[in-house]
Amino acid sequence: MTEPKDIVLKESEEIGGMPIEGPWLDEVGSLEEVIDYYHRIGFQATHLGRAIEVWKKVEEKRASGEEVRVFLGYTSNIVSSGLRELIAWLVKEGKVDVVVTTAGGVEEDFIKALKPFILGDWYVNDAEMREKGINRIGNIFVPNDRYIEFEKYMIPFFERVIEMEKERGKPLTASEFIHEMGRFMDEKLGKEKERSVIYWAYKRNIPIFCPAITDGSIGDMLYFFKEERGDRELIIDVANDIVKLNNLAVTAKETSSIILGGSLPKHAIINANLFRGGTDYAIYITTAVPWDGSLSGAPPSEGVSWGKIRAKADYVEIWADATLVFPVLVWKVMKG
């Protein structure tokens, strides 16, 4: 019979590796030095440290002239938050090559160039908010006047698109539609446009793909425009965009996929990479869980089973709110 002490104090094998250790505050002089400990802290801090390492590797390759095409995907709540400006900076500086987002990720970027969103609270009377015409995204408030102002710009923009499509003899794809939104912003808006993702994507000729372009306020404005005018001419083509998006993956020597959140942008990016045998680098930041079988919660290793991420790819998933960790990740990679 095995003795209780032998069960509890079972002899172990020797293992090597990095000791778990956090910063001793008397020995660090800056946040930079604290972040350098992330690899050794454990849990999600270690995953953030690993993400910094993966993205830095991509940046070093790009700086040396190697081609690594960077795909960035994010859901609309990311643009609702202050991460919008970080993404706009990445696009402005040419740190990403392809963007995939939702309709909200497009329209809210435009709307913020007209009027800001306002910091509110999580705990409010939502029925009263509705009476006041104030929409809520978590603790971010968006008064309806933002959408009223947005429509004032969208009506002449839709009219321009109709004329363009007549001249071309074919509809604009969703990515071309968004590119033209950037041109429209450049012409119609002042300095506030310079914090916009759409504006800088237009200036840098970086495509923004939005397969569900009508799933948001843009769709609402299209509905009003078409119903009030009986319009049947304005069409947005999503079929040819899938060819363009997939080919941007297929023709790349290597690809990197950085995805904030899940949903459609995540799948559009990794599915495009399926056609080249999978992405070479992947960084996921998500709060979704895998237990319901959703794509949003699927970890990178599940993508390997589909061929959307290479078996030997450098990949990491950070299970955290992107508003907490993405600023640290971007700063450490780009400035650290």
Side-chain angles (χ1 to χ4, degrees), residues 52-71:
I52 292 168
E53 183 181 90
V54 171
W55 200 347
K56 275 190 171 181
K57 183 177 180 180
V58 169
E59 276 296 294
E60 286 165 5
K61 281 193 163 191
R62 285 161 63 93
S64 69
E66 293 185 55
E67 185 196 25
V68 184
R69 190 165 288 162
V70 177
F71 291 72

